[in-house]
Amino acid sequence: MRADRLVSLVLLLRQHGRLSAAALARELEVSTRTVLRDIEALSAAGVPVYAERGRHGGFALLPGFRSELTGLNHDEALALLVAGSRRGAQAFGLGSALASAMLKVVDALPDSYRDTAAGAAERLLVDPETDLLSRRLVAEEVPDAIVAEVLRAVFAGHKLQIRYAAVDQTPKWRTVDPIGLVTVRDRGYLLATRSGADRTYRLSRILAAKELAEPAQRPDRVDLDRAWQERSKRFRTGGDQVTVLVRVDPARREDLVSTALAVRAEESDSDGWLRLEVTFQDPRHAEWALWQLTTNAEALAPQWLRNSLRNRAAAIATRYGASS
């Protein structure tokens, strides 16, 4: 919308002091001609924006022109800026809106807070894109048009029609009653009901979405945290799950636990290793998780898992033991 773009233009000038039409066009993702029209509109509306000629010229605001966000102390400003660095908004397609909001917050801060809060926020990093092993933590990509349609239905309380690609199934159209959205480790989920039964849909598996005019059948209020915990519990206790008894080097405990659905028991062995009873999604999941830990873990039970890991190790040894 043009009104939002005009506000962003003013805030960019407030932050940078002076910007050329080309630089403004890049920031706002419009043409330079559009920027010039917006500058003219701002001037007509009484905003004190002026042009400076020359090689280092551009557009700027008269000193002292600003809005102010009152009632916000330093710690509150810092909390907003740090929260703005989280990547959860990306899962719901709100990344650009969050960036725009943070720009407005920084601009509106009182002079006594702006520099110190922004500087402090630069020293806190939340949810980086890679871990200490340089493994890239890639968020799932969901088309903006799909996310926007889902959001509209969730906020308006309307039924939602989605074309969903469940695992190992042909994509099908479903009509659901959306309840809310949850993001976990940069994965977005739609909590909904279908024919009165609870359903959870991963946003990245929604191939198309359409908000319907019909009101959704859902409660007026919802506790998303509680709803997510209940659904997670049902997920962990259903399906083809397997429970495994494993010994693991304490240094690799978190690597094991992070891949498991649940830890049912834990104790220390006499040699310092840990003995855990953990649950995995299915046999393939259990074999994969233990294989990643190489010699830093040992599956004690069930026997079929020990056999599978032994056979896999033997096949690797045979492959690399052959003479070239």
Side-chain angles (χ1 to χ4, degrees):
M1 295 178 61
R2 190 186 189 196
D4 290 337
R5 191 174 69 242
L6 292 176
V7 172
S8 295
L9 193 156
V10 171
L11 294 175
L12 285 168
L13 294 178
R14 281 283 308 146
Q15 293 239 312
H16 297 280
R18 182 187 301 109
L19 287 172
S20 66
L24 287 168
R26 286 194 301 270
E27 292 286 345
L28 299 172
E29 298 181 348
V30 296
S31 66
T32 54
R33 181 174 297 181
T34 298
V35 168
L36 294 176
R37 285 200 298 266
D38 287 347
I39 292 291
E40 183 177 351
L42 288 173
S43 297
V47 176
V49 58
Y50 65 96
E52 291 188 354
R53 308 292 182 182
R55 180 179 178 184
H56 300 291
F59 295 99
L61 294 168
L62 288 177
F65 178 78
R66 60 170 306 200
S67 60
E68 184 168 291
L69 188 63
T70 59
L72 195 68
N73 63 38
H74 177 272
D75 289 342
E76 291 169 339
L78 177 59
L80 281 175
L81 295 176
V82 172
S85 70
R86 296 187 66 86
R87 293 187 292 139
Q90 301 295 338
F92 300 145
L94 298 174
S96 59
L98 181 61
S100 175
M102 289 301 103
L103 184 66
K104 294 176 182 178
V105 167
V106 171
D107 181 79
L109 289 176
D111 291 332
S112 58
Y113 295 150
R114 187 187 308 129
D115 293 338
T116 55
E122 290 176 354
R123 300 184 183 278
L124 299 173
L125 177 62
V126 181
D127 289 341
E129 293 187 354
T130 58
D131 63 14
L132 287 175
L133 299 179
S134 295
R135 295 175 299 195
R136 186 171 180 81
L137 308 176
V138 181
E140 293 184 334
E141 295 293 333
V142 184
D144 291 343
I146 291 177
V147 177
E149 201 73 13
V150 173
L151 284 172
R152 280 196 291 268
V154 169
F155 294 151
H158 291 166
K159 287 184 178 293
L160 178 68
Q161 197 174 53
I162 59 174
R163 186 166 184 264
Y164 192 73
V167 179
D168 298 328
Q169 294 183 24
T170 302
K172 296 179 181 178
W173 283 98
R174 298 169 168 85
T175 299
V176 303
D177 296 298
I179 294 175
L181 292 165
V182 176
T183 176
V184 181
R185 297 178 182 174
D186 291 329
R187 290 182 177 179
Y189 296 89
L190 168 67
L191 271 58
T193 60
R194 183 168 172 240
S195 300
D198 288 344
R199 293 288 186 268
T200 302
Y201 302 99
R202 187 181 295 186
L203 291 184
S204 61
R205 292 178 181 160
I206 297 178
L207 306 181
K210 180 180 180 182
E211 177 193 6
L212 304 180
E214 184 181 352
Q217 300 298 313
R218 66 180 191 180
D220 294 334
R221 303 294 299 272
V222 62
D223 185 340
L224 274 185
D225 185 56
R226 180 177 179 180
W228 179 255
Q229 290 184 28
E230 291 175 348
R231 295 187 186 204
S232 298
K233 183 178 180 180
R234 288 198 297 270
F235 176 79
R236 290 194 300 269
T237 56
D240 300 324
Q241 296 173 5
V242 295
T243 299
V244 174
L245 182 62
V246 59
R247 273 172 34 89
V248 63
D249 184 334
R252 300 300 301 275
R253 178 191 180 279
E254 291 306 314
D255 294 327
L256 173 67
V257 171
S258 65
T259 62
L261 293 180
V263 177
R264 299 187 178 278
E266 180 175 350
E267 61 182 15
S268 296
D269 274 351
S270 58
D271 60 358
W273 275 38
L274 301 174
R275 186 178 294 246
L276 284 77
E277 186 178 336
V278 293
T279 300
F280 292 100
Q281 180 69 33
D282 51 38
R284 186 172 60 176
H285 180 199
E287 182 179 345
W288 172 87
L290 271 296
W291 182 257
Q292 308 306 306
L293 299 178
T294 63
T295 58
N296 297 122
E298 177 188 3
L300 301 177
Q303 187 61 43
W304 63 259
L305 180 56
R306 290 179 60 85
N307 295 342
S308 296
L309 291 170
R310 183 184 63 246
N311 293 340
R312 178 182 283 203
I316 292 291
T318 300
R319 172 64 59 86
Y320 287 100
S323 58
S324 56

